[in-house]
Amino acid sequence: MTKRDLQLDEHGRLRHFLTIEGLNRALLESIMDTAESFASVTEQTVKKVPLLRGKTIVNLFFETSTRTRTTFELAAKRLSADVLTVNIATSATTKGESLLDTIRNIEAMHVDMFVVRHAHSGAAHFIARHVAPHISVINAGDGRHAHPTQAMLDVFTIRKHKPDFGKLTVAIVGDVLHSRVARSEIHALRTLGVREIRVVGPRTLIPSDIETLGVRIHHDLDTGLREADVIIMLRLQRERMSGGFIPSAHEYYARFGLTAARLTLAKPDAMVMHPGPINRGVEMESRVADGSQSVILQQVTHGIAIRMAVMSMAMQHDSGERPA
Ligand code: CP
């Protein structure tokens, strides 16, 4: 079964959301359009719509998270779902329970959706292959593989400011090698027709085969930034580095840190983005992170509407189960 088959029901509607790879432009635009309609909900006095009333959503975060976990939880609550966030540190996982047994036991509580973050690439796909037909699985980040809702909130943020994707040059800067965000963003930006996608970073942090995804490699930040419309800075994923990928944080910042001076090489209205968490003084200076071109906190806000869109769309899938 292909990744596309696993994600979509027989009518081509979203069932699981595991990766951007294989999804078409119309579906990505439909997620953004649906998120647009939910953005106004988050600005109302009563920030709720009854779309998922009676549904139960379980957040399973086997890795740390601030933005993704809280925005998924808020999104579920704003859709009126019942939402549980399992604390993995105090769960039976610490007693040796397998991932599949954890899923089977929570499934026995008649839940409707799992939102999963896991350190292992492929964990969300694995769960999606084993759950009952009515259950949806949303990937909230798996290893180095994919972080599809992050990519969607990023392209949604870009579309708000620069809607003509075909005219854009986007520079993705930093630790591409260990980044699930970069991989999902490249797929989303390509599918949406972005003119030029650059990946910029030291040789040790750019996978040699990344050009097969249709990007241009730059190992010099100044040339990588020149005339860019959008700059996406990535975090140095030290928890995934087993060896000396960079000489030191100080040297990395000197060569690849985004400073106010370097930002002037991009277009004057270039957007500065970062999925978070930021390492200030390593990936970028505070003047840039907090400056007028930064949309970093807008990305966080948009995460709620995008996650509301993905969860509500997935809950409309046809499970193939017919009433007896
Ligand atoms: N962008 C992102 O995934 O942040 P968290 O790790 O805080 O969820």
Side-chain angles (χ1 to χ4, degrees), residues 20 28 34 62 65 69 74 80 84 86 93 131 201 239 256 312:
I20 302 284
L28 301 194
T34 307
F62 294 88
S65 167
R69 187 176 56 75
L74 269 180
S80 305
L84 307 174
V86 178
T93 302
V131 291
E239 72 278 18
F256 292 100
S312 63

Side-chain angles (χ1 to χ4, degrees), residues 120-171:
H120 292 298
S121 301
H125 281 83
F126 173 78
I127 295 169
R129 277 194 294 272
H130 288 88
V131 291
H134 74 278
I135 294 181
S136 294
V137 178
I138 312 291
N139 184 3
D142 64 324
R144 302 180 185 191
H145 172 239
H147 194 348
T149 56
Q150 178 70 46
M152 287 310 304
L153 72 90
D154 290 344
V155 292
F156 182 69
T157 305
I158 294 171
R159 191 175 82 161
K160 288 254 179 209
H161 293 268
K162 297 173 186 281
D164 193 348
F165 285 107
K167 289 187 175 156
L168 298 183
T169 296
V170 179

Side-chain angles (χ1 to χ4, degrees), residues 17 51 72 81 92 105 133 151 206 233 247 294:
F17 195 49
L51 273 174
F72 263 114
N105 278 270
I206 303 287
M233 301 303 294
S294 168

Side-chain angles (χ1 to χ4, degrees), residues 235-273:
R235 183 172 67 85
L236 275 183
Q237 314 256 311
R238 290 168 193 267
E239 72 278 18
R240 296 190 215 288
M241 293 183 191
S242 49
F245 285 89
I246 53 164
S248 68
H250 183 73
E251 192 163 325
Y252 178 83
Y253 181 65
R255 284 191 60 206
F256 292 100
L258 186 60
T259 59
R262 279 191 166 131
L263 182 55
T264 62
L265 296 167
K267 294 231 178 96
D269 64 345
M271 299 164 62
V272 175
M273 307 177 73

Side-chain angles (χ1 to χ4, degrees), residues 24-100:
N24 63 33
R25 183 171 184 160
L27 184 55
L28 301 194
E29 285 177 346
S30 154
I31 292 170
M32 289 192 280
D33 294 343
T34 307
E36 200 69 66
S37 71
F38 286 132
S40 59
V41 172
T42 67
E43 288 157 15
Q44 293 166 10
T45 321
V46 179
K47 300 180 178 63
K48 267 190 191 289
V49 287
L51 273 174
L52 297 191
R53 194 158 52 197
K55 301 287 186 192
T56 304
I57 297 175
V58 179
N59 273 338
L60 279 177
F61 278 60
F62 294 88
E63 251 194 0
T64 56
S65 167
T66 298
R67 283 144 288 269
T68 311
R69 187 176 56 75
T70 50
T71 52
F72 263 114
E73 193 170 325
L74 269 180
K77 286 179 173 164
R78 288 181 185 176
L79 291 166
S80 305
D82 295 318
V83 55
L84 307 174
T85 296
V86 178
N87 184 350
I88 297 299
T90 58
S91 75
T93 302
T94 58
K95 298 176 186 163
E97 185 171 67
S98 75
L99 177 59
L100 197 52

